[in-house]
Amino acid sequence: MPRLSYRRALTRALADELARDEAVFLLGEDIQVGASLVTTGLAKRFGTERIRDTPLSEQAFTSFATGAALAGLRPVIEFQIPSLLFLVFEQIVNHAHKFPLMTGGQCAVPVTYLVPGSGSRTGWAGQHSDHPYSLFAHAGVVTVVPATPADAYGLLVTAVRHDDPVVVFAPAGAMDVRDDVDELAPVPLGRGRIHRNGCDVTVVAIGHLVHDALAVAEELADQISVEVFDPRTLYPFDIGGLTESVARTGRLVVLDDANRSCGMAAEIIASVVERVRLLAPPRRVTRPDGAVLPFAPALDRAVQPGREQLVTAIHLTMKDTS
Amino acid sequence: MTDTDPVRLYRTVRLIRRFEERAVELVHGGQIVGGIHPYLGQEGIAAGVCAALGADDVLAGTHRGHGHVLARGADPARMLAELCGRVTGLNAGRGGSMHAADLSIGVLGANAIVGASGAIITGAVWAYRRRGRDTVGVSFFGDGAVNEGMLLEAFNLAALWRVPVLFVCENNGYATTMPVAGAVAGSIAGRAAAFDIPAVDVDGQDPEAVRVAASAAVDRMRAGGGPELIEARTHRFDAHHTFEHAVRLDYRPPDEVTRARARDPVRIQGERLTDTDRAAVDAEVEQTLDAAVRFALNSPEPDPADALRHLYASGLTARTGGG
Ligand SMILES: Cc1ncc(C[n+]2csc(CCOP(=O)(O)OP(=O)(O)O)c2C)c(N)n1
């Protein structure tokens, strides 16, 4: 079985889509040399017309991609740092996302926005460590956060083929994950994945936190049976799959590496309690409200949701059971 | 490719003029809700520029966008139906005045975000050319937009990658109530010069002059040149938006519009026609618009159950908000 890293899985997905469809092309900063190590070798293989280095003009090249999509191409943009999405939120949400409805169905805008290294890359501090996926889910833009190499491949391929804009968040904490991968295949949007079955509590973990949740589940295995649910896409969300899981376990804890207020964790809990009667109040482990990641490594870690907090939340949920 | 027929050019300015006047009436009558940004006085720019375009070319406009869409040849009846929010509208009633689009004739949409069209049109033209078409594009924007960073980023991309986009700045002297002199440091042509984009200044009140300048620019672009800029000096005869009739903003000298009206693009172009030709066009435009108003007002309203139809081109459906 070949071992594949998450980062390499993204490269494979881009290469396969570039080879499969002439309409696909890449735009981004320093992508010809592959500064992020995701686009390594692609310019050599597909040429600099299709792997286009851009000047530092995020707002213009994001809307350039919208125009190219209106003209029938399928652009993929790589963003060097996650906070650039704040800069181009307008171009994605106010233009790319709104065009099909505003034109009364006259067009499609199939652009993929790829953010390798989202969330904290230790030591990158306040302006490079955000994980702004909730904003896009809130706006209704298809939002994907793969946790494993196979899902990174499969979801990126699906994103490129999808007829609407899709933001793909590749968490920094997952980029070096390696896995035995038998078969690479597209992964459908809106379908979650149960990584581990359990019967006492469902833990929903997003992105790289899936691996922390699995480690905690293993650690608690002799006391508590933890089911680990990975939504894989945050919008559309697999509420059906999660409801089934929570209906079996009766308890819910969400682990989400983003700020607390109006975050994905809040949305997931609300959607579940609308549908399922729980045995104990649900809990969420997130970054604090309004968090800005401090620089010093110990402070950076203190702000991110961690395994101990998850263990505590699981224990509290078990204890709260009425 | 340029259409040099003065009668057709007159027809376009006259059509836009009467369309706008009828639309303002419909705003006051309550049939168009939300109001419009009238293009009255600026008709010569859209008409002159679009006369220089061919069938494969594309454009994107602004919140003051009716003229661009009509000059490109959109059906006035479906356009008016769009402003009235009817299913028969160009955008099936989902876009309204500020988003009117007709992709079948290369109108990638009016855009309500100031400065937004430049980058979109640059990407579209680049893509069409990659796909083997001989497309050139036009990005219309106002004097206010030249202070938006994204538009200047688009100038850079278009110049760097030699994408044939004609940037047309409709300098009507104001961004809402802000006069150009209070907003633009340096000059508009100077912004183009910074990117080595050739720029010309043209009298936007003269439809022929605009057509001549635009067709020269389009010819150079089609021969392999990069982007160009036209600064068309113009006046808007009416309010920034029809809401001004209710709020009475005081920002321009009372005689300014009176003086500006002395250079009316419809009259200037009309004087180039024989009286018979002009009368024939006027009558034909009137009939077209009578029919357009009837069509718009008799068209069905969209079904509220379909409010989010077309949200996703992929067919994805959104969760409902209630219950
Ligand atoms: C980015 C942005 N800022 C502000 C507005 C609000 N707004 C709408 S039209 C307008 C004035 C635009 O002036 P100009 O570009 O000169 O065009 P004109 O209205 O004169 O045609 C403003 C400020 C907007 N729509 N988009």
Side-chain angles (χ1 to χ4, degrees):
Chain A
M1 255 189 277
R3 298 275 287 171
L4 183 69
S5 79
Y6 189 106
R7 183 179 280 103
R8 225 16 85 216
L10 295 175
T11 315
R12 281 276 289 276
L14 294 174
D16 287 356
E17 289 309 290
L18 283 157
R20 188 186 59 80
D21 184 355
E22 268 292 316
V24 176
F25 74 102
L26 267 51
L27 278 172
E29 292 158 355
D30 310 296
I31 61 173
Q32 288 177 357
V33 296
S36 66
L37 304 180
V38 169
T39 54
T40 311
L42 296 180
K44 220 165 247 148
R45 183 163 162 209
F46 297 101
T48 52
E49 185 71 3
R50 294 182 71 198
I51 313 297
R52 291 188 76 79
D53 269 359
T54 59
L56 310 186
S57 322
E58 293 79 14
Q59 299 187 324
F61 69 64
T62 302
S63 276
F64 178 97
T66 301
L70 291 174
L73 297 186
R74 305 187 86 85
V76 179
I77 305 182
E78 186 194 271
F79 289 97
Q80 278 188 338
I81 52 177
S83 46
L84 296 181
L85 292 182
F86 297 137
L87 207 56
V88 299
F89 194 70
E90 203 273 320
Q91 286 71 26
I92 298 176
V93 171
N94 214 16
H95 302 274
H97 169 61
K98 292 184 181 176
F99 270 17
L101 182 133
M102 290 196 309
T103 59
Q106 292 181 61
C107 66
V109 186
V111 183
T112 303
Y113 312 94
L114 174 62
V115 192
S118 186
S120 167
R121 290 180 275 178
T122 310
W124 289 64
Q127 292 179 332
H128 283 54
S129 305
D130 293 294
H131 221 160
Y133 41 69
S134 315
L135 296 177
F136 292 93
H138 177 75
V141 178
V142 173
T143 304
V144 219
V145 193
T148 68
D151 283 345
Y153 176 90
L155 285 164
L156 181 51
V157 161
T158 303
V160 175
R161 297 179 192 178
H162 192 71
D163 279 338
D164 286 306
V166 182
V167 190
V168 179
F169 288 89
M175 294 294 283
D176 293 316
V177 169
R178 288 172 172 275
D179 218 347
D180 296 328
V181 177
D182 285 326
E183 199 197 345
L184 291 170
V187 171
L189 298 170
R191 193 137 352 127
R193 168 175 175 186
I194 293 173
H195 284 266
R196 179 188 174 107
N197 291 302
C199 54
D200 292 330
V201 55
T202 300
V203 169
V204 177
I206 296 169
H208 62 297
L209 296 178
V210 167
H211 306 287
D212 293 278
L214 286 168
V216 165
E218 185 61 31
E219 181 188 318
L220 297 179
D222 52 357
Q223 319 156 44
I224 304 166
S225 168
V226 176
E227 178 144 310
V228 176
F229 183 90
D230 169 7
R232 301 195 289 191
T233 53
L234 299 182
Y235 191 90
F237 191 91
D238 184 5
I239 193 60
L242 179 58
T243 304
E244 276 174 34
S245 168
V246 181
R248 278 195 308 275
T249 62
R251 296 180 191 84
L252 173 65
V253 174
V254 184
L255 183 60
D256 171 21
D257 180 28
N259 296 355
R260 198 168 183 86
S261 279
C262 305
M264 251 345 269
E267 173 56 36
I268 291 168
I269 288 173
S271 296
V272 170
V273 300
E274 281 172 344
R275 293 171 173 78
V276 186
R277 194 176 293 280
L278 297 174
L279 301 174
R283 294 197 167 263
R284 57 189 150 144
V285 178
T286 65
R287 293 187 185 185
D289 268 349
V292 175
L293 253 67
F295 166 67
L299 304 181
D300 172 321
R301 272 194 304 279
V303 172
Q304 291 180 63
R307 293 184 189 181
E308 285 109 275
Q309 289 166 295
L310 178 59
V311 170
T312 307
I314 292 172
H315 281 307
L316 285 173
T317 309
M318 297 306 293
K319 208 175 83 201
D320 282 347
T321 304
S322 46
Chain B
M1 222 177 272
T2 301
D3 184 350
T4 53
D5 180 354
V7 178
R8 275 197 294 271
L9 191 53
Y10 175 72
R11 183 187 183 276
T12 310
V13 283
R14 177 79 187 183
L15 175 74
I16 301 171
R17 168 66 50 90
R18 291 298 293 138
F19 183 96
E20 293 296 76
E21 288 172 345
R22 302 296 288 258
V24 170
E25 283 168 23
L26 292 172
V27 170
H28 293 315
Q31 290 101 337
I32 294 176
V33 297
I36 62 167
H37 297 82
Y39 196 61
L40 295 163
Q42 304 186 197
E43 299 89 345
I45 305 173
V49 169
C50 288
L53 299 180
D56 260 2
D57 299 333
V58 293
L59 63 83
T62 67
H63 55 283
R64 198 177 304 291
H66 304 167
H68 313 132
V69 183
L70 290 171
R72 185 66 183 143
D75 175 359
R78 292 195 58 212
M79 175 94 186
L80 203 54
E82 185 57 34
L83 307 198
C84 294
R86 307 302 166 113
V87 272
T88 52
L90 288 176
N91 307 28
R94 269 75 175 171
S97 164
M98 287 191 283
H99 303 301
D102 189 345
L103 273 85
S104 68
I105 52 170
V107 179
L108 306 192
N111 200 309
I113 298 303
V114 170
S117 69
I120 294 172
I121 215 73
T122 302
V125 171
W126 179 84
Y128 280 129
R129 296 204 147 239
R130 235 201 74 190
R131 302 178 67 204
R133 278 170 53 173
D134 189 30
T135 302
V136 303
V138 181
S139 157
F140 290 99
F141 50 88
D143 47 273
V146 302
N147 295 316
E148 291 285 353
M150 184 174 50
L151 184 66
L152 302 178
E153 289 183 16
F155 283 8
N156 188 54
L157 284 190
L160 205 61
W161 294 347
R162 294 187 72 71
V163 186
V165 173
L166 182 58
F167 293 103
V168 179
C169 179
E170 305 186 311
N171 183 352
N172 63 13
Y174 294 91
T176 315
T177 67
M178 167 65 85
V180 176
V184 180
S187 68
I188 292 167
R191 281 163 171 60
F195 301 99
D196 271 346
I197 295 176
V200 296
D201 197 322
V202 32
D203 175 6
Q205 300 313 96
D206 183 345
E208 287 283 357
V210 176
R211 185 185 58 67
V212 168
S215 73
V218 166
D219 286 349
R220 285 189 296 269
M221 294 197 302
R222 252 194 254 285
E228 304 224 0
L229 182 137
I230 289 178
E231 177 182 352
R233 296 189 190 262
T234 185
H235 297 277
R236 69 167 147 77
F237 291 173
D238 205 330
H240 168 68
H241 180 277
T242 43
F243 70 45
E244 265 186 49
H245 292 280
V247 294
R248 291 184 190 284
L249 304 178
D250 178 16
Y251 60 95
R252 48 181 181 177
D255 63 337
E256 191 179 287
V257 172
T258 323
R259 276 186 284 118
R261 276 183 189 273
R263 304 218 62 246
D264 180 332
V266 179
R267 223 202 38 248
I268 289 173
Q269 188 60 24
E271 282 166 359
R272 295 182 175 128
L273 270 54
T274 63
D275 291 347
T276 331
D277 279 352
R278 195 174 54 246
V281 170
D282 290 356
E284 188 259 322
V285 163
E286 224 45 41
Q287 272 175 17
T288 303
L289 287 174
D290 286 344
V293 172
R294 272 198 306 277
F295 174 80
L297 297 181
N298 291 330
S299 288
E301 314 246 1
D303 179 351
D306 279 349
L308 285 191
R309 183 141 176 250
H310 308 301
L311 179 58
Y312 295 103
S314 58
L316 198 70
T317 50
R319 270 200 287 167
T320 57

